[in-house]
Amino acid sequence: MDFELTEEQVLLGATVRDLLARAYDQESRLKTLETESGWSREVWSQLAELGVLGLSFDEEDGGAGAGPVETMVVLEELGRRQAPEPLLDAVLLPGGLVRAVGTAEQRQRILPEVAGGARLLAFAHDEPGSRWPDTEVAVTAVADGSGFRLSGVKNPVAHGDCADELVVSAVLPTGGTGLFLVAATAEGVRRTPYRTYDERRGAQIDFESAPAELLGGPEAGDASGAIAAAIVAAQASLNAEAVGAMTEALRLTSEYLKTRKQFGVTLSKFQALTHRAADMYVSLELARSMSYYATAALADGVTDPMIASRAKLQVDRSGRHIGQEAVQMHGGIGITTEYPVSHYVARLTAIGRTFGSDLEHLRLLADRVAGYGLAEL
Amino acid sequence: MKLALSPEEVAFRDDLNRFYRTEIPQEIRDKVQYGLDLTRDDVVTSHKILNDAGLAVPRWPVEWGGKNWTPMQLHLWEDELQLASVPDPLTFNANMIGPVIAQFGSPELKQRFLPATAALDIWWCQGFSEPDAGSDLASLRTTAVRDGDSYIVNGQKIWTTMAQWADWIFCLVRTDPNAPKRQAGISLVLFDVKTPGVTIRPIKLIDGRHEVNEVFFENVRVPADQLVGEENQGWTYAKFLLGNERTGITAVGRTKVRLAVAKEYAAQAKSGKSTLLDDPRFAARLAGIENELLALELTLLRVVANSSEGRPNPASSVLKMRGSELQQAATELLLDIAGPDALPVGGAETASPDWAQRTGPSYLNFRKTTIYGGSSEVQRTIIASTILGL
Ligand SMILES: Cc1cc2nc3c(=O)[nH]c(=O)nc-3n(C[C@H](O)[C@H](O)[C@H](O)COP(=O)(O)OP(=O)(O)OC[C@H]3O[C@@H](n4cnc5c(N)ncnc54)[C@H](O)[C@@H]3O)c2cc1C
C-alpha cells in the first residue's frame, strides 16, 4: 500500500495551484461568477494548454493518458480555489463516456477538440423527478435512417447551458439504455439555462425529435454499465473537489480565529472554538482518506459502487460538518457573498447532494450490511 | 401537573385561530407557509390588521395597546399566529424598541413614538452591531457628542436588517468614551434614517438576496430629545431589548409548519419504487426532528406556565439555541427532499418546482439563525455562567 503521491503528481498539483492562484483573486473570481457562463474561457484555455483538459484521455485521442490519481490531484486544486471552470461537467464525465463507449472514429473526432478546449460537452442524464441512482430513463430514441431522433426532457443538466455537444442517455428502440451524441444547436433541442445555488450554471434540455448519433456505433448495446462506471468516477472527482474545498474552508477558519478580535482577544483564545476547529480537522482527514480510497480503487481498475458510496458518504458528512462550522465560527461575515467562506459552504452543500446524498448512500450500504460479517477494504 | 388547557384557554385559542385564518389575507399566509419572500407591503398590511384588532403588541403595557394577558395567553397568541403562518408583527417594533420606550422612555417620547410604532407607521431598524463589535457588543465605537440640543453621531453599523425599508433606526452610541467600564458609556438614540449624513449600503448574502446593510454616520445631527431614558444608561436598555429578541427566535410553530410542508413534498417525491416519506430512513430522520421540536415546545411551555412576571428566565438561552438549530434542521430537510430539483435558482420554465428551487438559498440563508440574536456560543456561555455557575 502506498498513499503518497509521486513527484510528478505533486508537481501537477502545484502547477495547477499556481495557475489558478494567478487567474483568480477574490475579486476577479466574483466578477467571473457574475458573467453569463459563470466561468472564464481564458482560464479554460490555460488549463487546455497545460494539458489538464485532456489529462485522462488516451494519447491517440489527444490526451496524456493519465489516471484517476492525476484527476484527483487536479480536482482538489480546483476545489481549493473554488475555480468555477466545469472540468468535471464538460470534460471528465461526458468525455469519459465518449472514451469508454465511443467508436475510434467518434473518439478521434470529439476528444482532441475537448482536450484542446475548443469543444464543450455535457452529460444529460437526470430527468425530472429522478434521484440517484437514476437508472430509469424516459427519454426515448427512435431510429431515423442511419441515425436516431430523441424526445423527452433532461433536467438538471450541469453546465448544459454552455455545452456544444450533449451526451444523452435514452431508451433504445430495442430496449436498454443507449448513449447519444446531440449537437446543442440541433433542431429540436431547446435549452433553458439557469444559475444554481452554488453559483454554477445548468440547464433543462427539451428534446423534440432531435437528431442524434448513437455513441459506439450501430452495434452498441445497453450502456447502463458504462453510465454506472462513469458516475462512480464522477463521485471520486467530486470527493476530491470537496476535500480541496474543505481544506481551504478550514484554513480560512483557522486564519480568521487567529485574527478576529472580540472581547479584547483573538477568537483563538476561546477553547470552545479551537476545539471545534480541531474537530473540523478530524473530519477533513477522514474525508481525505476516503477520497484516496475511492481513487486508489479506480486506479486499480475496480469500479465498485459500494466503495464509491462509502467514500462519498464520509466526504459528504465531513463537508457538511466543516461547511456549517466554518460559517458559524465566522459569524455574520460567513454568510456574505463578498467573503469567500460562503462560497465553499454553498459548493460543499451542492456536492453533498450530487450523485447521491447521505440518505441514498446510507440506503445502498444498509441494504447490503447483512450480507457480510467483517467490513473490509 | 396537568397537560390540558382550561376551557377558557381553549376558547381563547380558537378565537385567535379563527381571526388569523379569516382576517389575514390568504395570499400573505401562503407566502409565509411556503417560504416565499414577503414584500414590505405584506408585512405592513398584516401588522396593521393585527394592530387594528389589538393583536400586534399584546406584551406592551395596557396603556399603549398591550393586553393584560397571562403568560399562557401570550403563548397561545404567538403559537396560533405561527401555526396560521401569519407574519410576525415587525419584531424591531413590537419586541425590541417598543417595549424599551414603554419601559424607559420619557412621557413625551412614549406619546410621540409608541402609537406609530405599534401601528407600524414607523418601520424601525436596529443599529447595534459594528464591524468590530459583534458578540462583544459593548466594544462599539460609534460616537455621539453633545452639541447644544443635539448629538453629533459618527461611526458605522453593520448587519442592519431591512435598513433599506426602514424609516427610523434605534442606535447604540458611545456618549462617554472615558467611562470606567465600557458598558457604562453607552446610550440609546433614535433617529430618522433620512437624516443628512446617513448612508445605507447593501450587503449581499449567500442566497444572493438583500436583507442586511452597512449603515454609515457622518456628522449626523440627532435632536437630544431623541435619547431614550438617561444618557450612558443604554446598556441596561439594550440588555432588556435583547432578552426579548432571543425568545422570539425560538419559532416552534414556524418549524412545525415547515415540517408539515416537508411531509407534503416528501409524499410526492419519488424514491425507488415508493415515495421519500415511505422511506424508513427518511421517516426516521423526520421523526427525530419532530421529537426534538416537541421537547423544545414542552420546555417553552414549562417556562410559560411557571414564569413569574419580569424575571428573565435563563432557560431563554435553551430556547434560542435549540430553536435556531431546529429551524436549520427543517430547512436542511426541505433541501434534501428537493434533491436534484434544488439546483436551479429562479429557473422559471423548468421542470424543477418553484418550492424546490427555493430550498438551497433558504437552507444557506438560515445558517444565520445560530449567529444573530446572540450566537449559539454566546448562549452556551450564558448557560455555563448564569445557570451552572462555571
Ligand atoms: C442575517 C443577520 C441579520 C442581523 N441583523 C442585525 C440587525 O438588524 N441589527 C444588528 O445590530 N445586528 C444584526 N446582526 C448582527 C448579529 O447580532 C451579529 O452577527 C452577532 O452578534 C455576531 O457577531 P459577529 O457576526 O461579529 O461575529 P463574532 O462576534 O465575530 O463571532 C464569530 C464567532 O465567534 C464566536 N464567539 C465570539 N465570541 C466568543 C466567545 N467569547 N466565546 C466563544 N465563542 C465566541 C461567535 O459565536 C461566532 O461563532 C445580524 C446578523 C446576521 C447574520
Side-chain angles (χ1 to χ4, degrees):
Chain A
M1 259 187 203
D2 179 9
F3 292 104
E4 294 296 312
L5 299 175
T6 64
E7 241 172 77
E8 289 80 25
Q9 289 161 346
V10 171
L11 187 66
L12 173 66
T15 313
V16 175
R17 191 186 305 191
D18 285 350
L19 187 159
L20 296 176
R22 275 196 313 275
Y24 287 123
D25 55 30
Q26 202 169 309
E27 211 175 303
S28 62
R29 194 180 154 274
L30 285 175
K31 268 207 197 107
T32 301
L33 290 179
E34 282 305 313
T35 60
E36 197 181 311
S37 70
W39 54 275
S40 153
R41 290 270 173 183
E42 203 182 312
V43 176
W44 195 248
S45 348
Q46 290 168 1
L47 289 169
E49 260 165 53
L50 206 64
V52 167
L53 301 188
L55 202 61
S56 61
F57 299 157
D58 297 343
E59 282 169 29
E60 67 259 33
D61 296 336
V69 181
E70 285 74 21
T71 301
M72 177 188 83
V73 165
V74 170
L75 270 148
E76 214 176 294
E77 294 307 327
L78 285 173
R80 194 193 296 266
R81 184 59 59 171
Q82 271 306 294
E85 281 62 41
L87 183 63
L88 174 62
D89 296 341
V91 176
L92 293 173
L93 176 51
L97 282 166
V98 173
R99 176 176 180 260
V101 181
T103 62
E105 187 275 323
Q106 285 169 330
R107 293 166 57 159
Q108 273 149 35
R109 169 159 47 99
I110 296 167
L111 295 182
E113 277 191 31
V114 173
R119 191 197 294 239
L120 299 165
L121 306 175
F123 180 40
H125 180 53
D126 276 354
E127 296 183 2
S130 69
R131 305 176 92 83
W132 184 89
D134 32 17
T135 47
E136 278 171 49
V137 170
V139 168
T140 53
V142 293
D144 178 38
S146 61
F148 289 85
R149 291 193 174 268
L150 302 192
S151 296
V153 184
K154 294 288 185 180
N155 185 59
V157 180
H159 285 104
D161 61 313
C162 63
D164 302 301
E165 189 152 21
L166 304 161
V167 176
V168 190
S169 58
V171 184
L172 290 160
T174 50
T177 303
L179 285 170
F180 295 84
L181 292 165
V182 180
T185 49
E187 198 190 319
V189 177
R190 186 158 50 93
R191 287 201 269 193
T192 313
Y194 46 72
R195 293 174 177 229
T196 59
Y197 70 79
D198 58 341
E199 298 160 297
R200 306 284 157 128
R201 302 292 185 274
Q204 171 165 316
I205 305 190
D206 290 66
F207 299 96
E208 210 174 304
S209 204
E213 173 188 337
L214 185 61
L215 196 62
E219 307 303 306
D222 182 59
S224 304
I227 294 173
I231 287 175
V232 166
Q235 288 169 325
S237 293
L238 283 177
N239 291 343
E241 187 192 333
V243 166
M246 284 183 240
T247 307
E248 183 64 8
L250 175 56
R251 191 192 68 78
L252 285 168
T253 306
S254 310
E255 218 35 58
Y256 196 73
L257 294 182
K258 283 191 272 185
T259 47
R260 170 74 171 169
K261 278 191 172 172
Q262 289 289 282
F263 303 97
V265 294
T266 59
L267 294 179
S268 59
K269 292 284 178 295
F270 300 120
Q271 206 172 58
L273 302 181
T274 56
H275 279 188
R276 279 159 58 192
D279 283 340
M280 289 165 74
Y281 178 74
V282 172
S283 275
L284 170 63
E285 287 307 321
L286 297 180
R288 190 186 300 284
S289 301
M290 284 302 227
S291 169
Y292 286 3
Y293 175 39
T295 298
L298 284 175
D300 284 350
V302 177
T303 304
D304 182 349
M306 188 112 152
I307 293 178
S309 276
R310 286 198 189 286
K312 191 143 189 303
L313 178 61
Q314 178 61 51
V315 168
D316 291 352
R317 288 188 164 178
S318 293
R320 173 179 187 268
H321 172 220
I322 289 175
Q324 292 185 348
E325 287 288 71
V327 186
Q328 181 66 25
M329 290 204 255
H330 273 83
I333 191 110
I335 57 165
T336 62
T337 43
E338 272 170 62
Y339 188 77
V341 86
S342 68
H343 299 239
Y344 288 89
V345 175
R347 182 65 187 144
L348 285 169
T349 302
I351 289 177
R353 288 152 182 86
T354 304
F355 297 129
S357 65
D358 187 293
L359 173 76
E360 283 126 4
H361 296 303
L362 257 188
R363 181 191 298 130
L364 184 139
L365 297 174
D367 284 350
R368 296 174 193 202
V369 91
Y372 54 88
L374 283 177
E376 285 176 303
L377 288 176
Chain B
M1 279 206 193
K2 184 159 144 310
L3 200 52
L5 296 174
S6 70
E8 295 75 32
E9 286 166 342
V10 170
F12 178 85
R13 182 194 65 192
D14 293 348
D15 278 348
L16 284 168
N17 180 299
R18 203 168 316 114
F19 180 87
Y20 292 142
R21 287 173 200 273
T22 50
E23 299 300 322
I24 307 293
Q26 176 88 38
E27 189 208 335
I28 296 180
R29 293 192 299 112
D30 280 350
K31 284 189 186 176
V32 174
Q33 180 170 354
Y34 294 103
L36 278 74
D37 288 340
L38 294 173
T39 63
R40 189 183 193 279
D41 267 359
D42 290 334
V43 179
V44 173
T45 302
S46 160
H47 186 119
K48 279 190 174 296
I49 296 170
L50 292 174
N51 192 52
D52 291 345
L55 293 174
V57 293
R59 290 199 167 86
W60 291 17
V62 175
E63 201 192 340
W64 298 106
K67 305 272 188 185
N68 229 341
W69 281 343
T70 63
M72 182 53 79
Q73 285 175 313
L74 286 168
H75 168 73
L76 293 171
W77 162 79
E78 181 167 42
D79 197 41
E80 287 302 320
L81 181 128
Q82 294 189 356
L83 292 173
S85 295
V86 175
D88 286 317
L90 188 67
T91 183
F92 302 114
N93 289 38
N95 297 336
M96 298 172 97
I97 194 61
V100 166
I101 295 177
Q103 177 91 8
F104 304 105
S106 64
E108 297 75 40
L109 220 54
K110 290 180 189 175
Q111 199 59 56
R112 182 170 167 199
F113 288 110
L114 288 178
T117 299
L120 193 44
D121 291 331
I122 297 176
W123 182 300
W124 288 96
C125 65
Q126 178 196 18
F128 282 15
S129 305
E130 297 182 8
D132 291 328
S135 300
D136 180 19
L137 190 54
S139 66
L140 63 92
R141 287 207 293 250
T142 295
T143 55
V145 177
R146 187 72 187 241
D147 176 41
D149 53 6
S150 304
Y151 289 98
I152 310 293
V153 176
N154 278 289
Q156 183 198 343
K157 296 290 172 183
I158 194 172
W159 312 122
T160 319
T161 300
M162 298 302 174
Q164 75 273 26
W165 286 355
D167 304 303
W168 279 61
I169 186 166
F170 52 93
C171 216
L172 286 178
V173 292
R174 192 163 294 286
T175 33
D176 180 3
N178 301 318
K181 270 186 74 193
R182 297 179 309 163
Q183 285 84 344
I186 293 171
S187 300
L188 182 62
V189 293
L190 317 173
F191 52 95
D192 192 323
V193 296
K194 277 161 219 85
T195 315
V198 179
T199 311
I200 298 174
R201 194 187 80 86
I203 298 174
K204 201 158 121 188
L205 289 188
I206 192 168
D207 57 355
R209 285 183 303 182
H210 176 193
E211 162 178 343
V212 292
N213 303 271
E214 288 182 287
V215 185
F216 300 88
F217 310 123
E218 207 188 328
N219 294 324
V220 179
R221 187 168 278 276
V222 176
D225 64 2
Q226 288 167 206
L227 174 82
V228 178
E230 290 173 44
E231 198 176 89
N232 296 329
Q233 291 303 306
W235 190 251
T236 316
Y237 316 147
K239 277 197 303 188
F240 174 88
L241 179 153
L242 291 172
N244 292 335
E245 181 191 17
R246 259 160 219 165
T247 33
I249 300 175
T250 312
V252 168
R254 299 240 179 268
T255 303
K256 274 192 183 172
V257 171
R258 213 168 265 127
L259 291 178
V261 167
K263 284 186 194 173
E264 212 177 283
Y265 295 142
Q268 295 159 17
K270 208 173 68 135
S271 170
K273 295 218 166 356
S274 63
T275 73
L276 207 48
L277 194 58
D278 289 326
D279 182 319
R281 283 173 208 91
F282 175 85
R285 176 170 160 209
L286 203 154
I289 299 174
E290 262 182 355
N291 216 50
E292 284 191 45
L293 190 62
L294 280 182
L296 186 68
E297 182 175 20
L298 284 159
T299 309
L300 174 65
L301 286 166
R302 279 172 56 214
V303 173
V304 165
N306 301 330
S307 87
S308 37
E309 268 316 305
R311 216 176 336 123
N313 194 314
S316 71
S317 286
V318 178
L319 302 179
K320 161 65 173 72
M321 199 166 96
R322 294 304 283 149
S324 54
E325 286 168 0
L326 288 168
Q327 290 186 58
Q328 294 178 339
T331 52
E332 191 169 20
L333 192 73
L334 281 163
L335 172 66
D336 287 335
I337 296 166
D341 280 325
L343 277 174
V345 174
E349 321 274 307
T350 71
S352 299
D354 289 346
W355 71 263
Q357 298 193 32
R358 286 192 296 272
T359 57
S362 152
Y363 162 75
L364 293 171
N365 178 283
F366 265 65
R367 305 314 306 168
K368 71 190 175 187
T369 59
T370 49
I371 295 170
Y372 67 35
S375 68
S376 293
E377 290 73 18
V378 168
Q379 304 308 330
R380 287 194 186 91
T381 301
I382 294 173
I383 293 172
S385 61
T386 65
I387 303 183
L388 302 177
L390 300 173

